[in-house]
Amino acid sequence: MTDARTFPTDSPPARLLEDFSVEITGKDADTFIASAGSLPPRTRVNVTFLASETLDVRRAAARTVASHGHLPMPHVAARRLASVDELQNSLSAFADDGTSDSLFVIAGDPATPVGPFDGAADVIEAADLRAHAVTRVGISGYPEGHPDIPDSELDAALDRKVQSIRDQGIRGEFITQFGFDTEPVLRWIEYVRAKGIDWPIRVGVPGPAGIKRLISYASRFGVASSAGIAKKYGFSITNLLGTAGPDRFIEELAARYDESSHGDLKLHFYTFGGLKATAEWIQRFQEPTR
């Protein structure tokens, strides 16, 4: 499955790919430069928060994204912030660089916070976002739940984040954890819409990557079983060589997507196989059939 299927430019799968987003780490800034031209102008590029990377590294990556005509969305990881001052200094730095317009706020990986913030809701409530030129905040969505957080806590945190973002007069959007099955994704989207939340939802999709790597990431984040991935992606669980792309997932999602009930849906690519490979795969996928 190294080659993506192609669809007419006006088909549902192709339309679902309009205004997709991708992500990089700070250390990916140099490779991003080589891939930037493969992305449509003003593509949203998330700059992730890694514990091994300093604020200066993330700032430089966000500036690189902006300098190549794309839209950076720096991540702020609540549990990795040592103090309120560190939060405010980070926001001020992105504002000074002109890269603070869109932020993605997550809890982060540490089981125990290094500072006063236990989750994304705490950061959103504590930060004076508009004073730092923030106009859009992205938050996480978990269609298949979280391996370490009960659904009731996820739901309560979602409500807090949505209310705080609304109270600050800032636009919000969701980026979901990546998945391999459209059923829980669509079910979660319908649940969010039933709560009266009409924000754009970016559905997380694994970019093309080695099959072993896909299974490894899925196991790490608890989003699917190896057998489930094999069934949805069409490869044999006994042969884990080669690369798999998300064409089947996107085609099925597009076929079941109903804008009147699901609202504004876009795709967000987790670039496990690398940004260049993901950008090239998307280009092939979007090519009109001949």
Side-chain angles (χ1 to χ4, degrees):
M1 293 186 64
T2 57
D3 292 325
R5 295 173 63 183
T6 57
F7 299 89
T9 54
D10 61 347
S11 67
R15 290 198 302 272
L16 194 62
L17 269 167
E18 294 174 355
D19 191 27
F20 65 84
S21 55
V22 295
E23 65 181 42
I24 64 171
T25 67
K27 67 184 180 184
D28 293 331
D30 289 341
T31 56
F32 172 80
I33 294 172
S35 304
S38 299
L39 299 171
R42 297 179 63 79
T43 295
R44 178 81 60 78
V45 181
N46 285 33
V47 179
T48 63
F49 191 123
L50 297 184
S52 59
E53 295 178 349
T54 65
L55 173 60
D56 286 343
V57 170
R58 293 191 294 277
R59 288 179 69 181
R63 290 195 302 267
T64 297
V65 169
S67 70
H68 284 77
H70 299 296
L71 305 175
M73 191 178 209
H75 286 205
V76 176
R79 293 187 174 193
R80 295 194 182 280
L81 296 170
S83 65
V84 173
D85 284 345
E86 183 177 355
L87 167 62
Q88 300 298 345
N89 290 340
S90 297
L91 296 178
S92 294
F94 292 127
D96 289 344
D97 293 342
T99 60
S100 65
D101 179 76
S102 298
L103 294 180
F104 185 66
V105 184
I106 57 172
D109 293 334
T112 302
V114 300
F117 304 114
D118 186 54
D122 299 320
V123 165
I124 294 168
E125 291 169 353
D128 189 353
L129 296 172
R130 296 188 70 175
H132 293 96
V134 179
T135 67
R136 183 196 312 269
V137 173
I139 59 175
S140 299
Y142 297 95
E144 297 186 54
H146 190 289
D148 300 318
I149 304 174
D151 288 347
S152 59
E153 291 184 21
L154 284 178
D155 194 49
L158 184 153
D159 290 341
R160 277 183 64 195
K161 289 180 282 191
V162 168
Q163 189 59 53
S164 182
I165 291 169
R166 285 175 169 170
D167 288 346
Q168 296 185 55
I170 293 173
R171 291 174 293 169
E173 72 172 35
F174 293 98
I175 300 177
T176 75
Q177 180 59 277
F178 69 90
F180 303 89
D181 189 349
T182 60
E183 186 62 39
V185 170
L186 291 168
R187 190 166 54 242
W188 182 84
I189 291 168
E190 291 164 2
Y191 170 73
V192 168
R193 298 311 187 207
K195 292 168 75 71
I197 305 170
D198 61 357
W199 295 354
I201 294 176
R202 292 183 177 270
V203 177
V205 177
I211 293 170
K212 287 184 178 180
R213 177 173 289 188
L214 285 173
I215 291 176
S216 173
Y217 274 104
S219 300
R220 175 182 171 188
F221 292 102
V223 298
S225 67
S226 297
I229 300 171
K231 180 180 179 181
K232 291 295 180 181
Y233 271 51
F235 59 79
S236 170
I237 199 66
T238 60
N239 182 8
L240 301 183
L241 301 178
T243 297
D247 44 318
R248 285 192 177 193
F249 178 94
I250 294 172
E251 184 180 12
E252 182 178 340
L253 181 65
R256 300 183 62 186
Y257 171 40
D258 178 0
E259 186 174 0
S260 64
S261 59
H262 298 137
D264 185 0
L265 293 191
K266 306 178 188 301
L267 296 179
H268 176 78
F269 286 86
Y270 291 88
T271 54
F272 303 142
L275 178 61
K276 187 174 187 294
T278 298
E280 291 175 349
W281 185 93
I282 294 170
Q283 283 186 326
R284 294 197 304 273
F285 190 87
Q286 290 178 311
E287 290 174 357
T289 53
R290 307 236 182 242

